[in-house]
Amino acid sequence: YLVGISLAWWSLGFRSQRYNLGWSKEAVSDVIFYGVLGVILGGRIGYMLFYGYESLADNPLLIFQLWEGGMSFHGGMIGVFVALYIYARKTKRSFFEVADFIAPCIPFGLGCGRLGNFINGELPGRVTEVPWAAIYPGDIIGRHPSSLYQALLEGPVLLAILWVFASKQRPRMAISGVFLISYGLLRFTTEFFREPDSHMGFVAFRWMTQGQLLCLPMVLFGCLFLYFAYQRNQKLQGR
């Protein structure tokens, strides 16, 4: 997390200077602070709601026991949205001005987080006989190193997509839309190699995991964001 946050912090400052976006060092530091709070609080709350609701119902205090593990990207994303909304209101910026600014830098945190998952032996992949199969702690069979697949796609690949797209002037909301679509599709793909949560299994159609199910609204909202972004841009150009 610390490495990912540091890289995101640096890249936000770089983007602001490189593309003359008008964000001061203090503003970058502030938005990072709000974003980190959103990740931690949203990630934990989201995990308990999406993956551990029954345990939370039995013991609501589990939501505060961070040392027990359990963070959800989708919950963290919602937490970041809320944090950015609060930051935008406080600084009198528009929400999507802030969201479009930070979206291209999020893959640094995602990629580093997935490397942390692999180092900790978390989120094992499905059983396989591929030559690069990993044997996780306490296991005796080879599994896909799914965290590494996710680190690659959610890190460098997603970073390249967003960085190239954001390198040119885009209508407000478009960069956020591309982020949601790209992450949703990449995460949906890598979930095919990741072992479903043992206490949940497949949640739909006997093959869809909870992670894949949560990616569907991401892609839908991303498409809507792109549509409205370019529709609004056409109207503004037509005036």
Side-chain angles (χ1 to χ4, degrees):
Y1 277 113
L2 290 175
V3 173
I5 291 169
S6 298
L7 289 173
W9 196 337
W10 167 82
S11 61
L12 286 173
F14 176 84
R15 286 197 70 238
S16 180
Q17 293 184 351
R18 176 68 175 80
Y19 301 108
N20 194 27
L21 300 179
W23 286 73
S24 66
K25 292 183 179 179
E26 292 76 14
V28 169
S29 298
D30 288 343
V31 78
I32 283 287
F33 174 76
Y34 277 81
V36 170
L37 282 181
V39 167
I40 296 174
L41 296 177
R44 180 58 178 174
I45 295 171
Y47 176 82
M48 297 307 300
L49 292 177
F50 299 147
Y51 298 94
Y53 181 76
E54 293 182 359
S55 299
L56 181 63
D58 294 334
N59 182 12
L61 293 179
L62 282 175
I63 204 166
F64 301 107
Q65 297 178 11
L66 299 178
W67 57 91
E68 295 292 340
M71 296 284 283
S72 162
F73 164 79
H74 296 93
M77 181 186 68
I78 294 173
V80 169
F81 283 169
V82 173
L84 295 186
Y85 175 78
I86 295 172
Y87 173 81
R89 288 290 300 271
K90 182 179 178 180
T91 58
K92 297 182 179 180
R93 300 176 185 265
S94 74
F95 170 79
F96 283 104
E97 177 187 357
V98 182
D100 287 351
F101 175 56
I102 72 165
C105 304
I106 293 176
F108 285 109
L110 294 177
C112 289
R114 292 307 183 192
L115 290 177
N117 290 147
F118 183 74
I119 293 170
N120 286 338
E122 302 166 343
L123 309 178
R126 302 185 190 184
V127 176
T128 182
E129 295 182 356
V130 296
W132 57 87
I135 299 178
Y136 285 76
D139 214 341
I140 59 174
I141 54 178
R143 296 181 178 275
H144 281 289
S146 56
S147 296
L148 295 183
Y149 302 167
Q150 292 182 306
L152 175 63
L153 293 184
E154 297 173 15
V157 173
L158 182 60
L159 178 67
I161 294 171
L162 293 172
W163 208 270
V164 170
F165 185 78
S167 64
K168 297 181 180 179
Q169 188 173 2
R170 306 293 181 182
R172 187 68 51 80
M173 200 187 305
I175 297 174
S176 297
V178 169
F179 168 79
L180 291 175
I181 295 170
S182 301
Y183 177 86
L185 293 176
L186 293 173
R187 172 70 182 271
F188 194 94
T189 301
T190 57
E191 283 283 322
F192 284 112
F193 301 95
R194 177 172 156 180
E195 186 74 10
D197 294 87
S198 59
H199 64 291
M200 300 186 71
F202 297 112
V203 298
F205 310 116
R206 298 184 179 181
W207 59 265
M208 183 177 288
T209 66
Q210 180 76 338
Q212 289 174 316
L213 186 64
L214 293 172
C215 283
L216 296 181
M218 287 187 67
V219 176
L220 175 61
F221 276 104
C223 291
L224 290 175
F225 287 174
L226 269 182
Y227 173 78
F228 287 121
Y230 282 99
Q231 279 289 101
R232 180 175 179 273
N233 190 55
Q234 288 181 354
K235 292 180 179 179
L236 291 176
Q237 290 181 347
R239 289 182 179 178

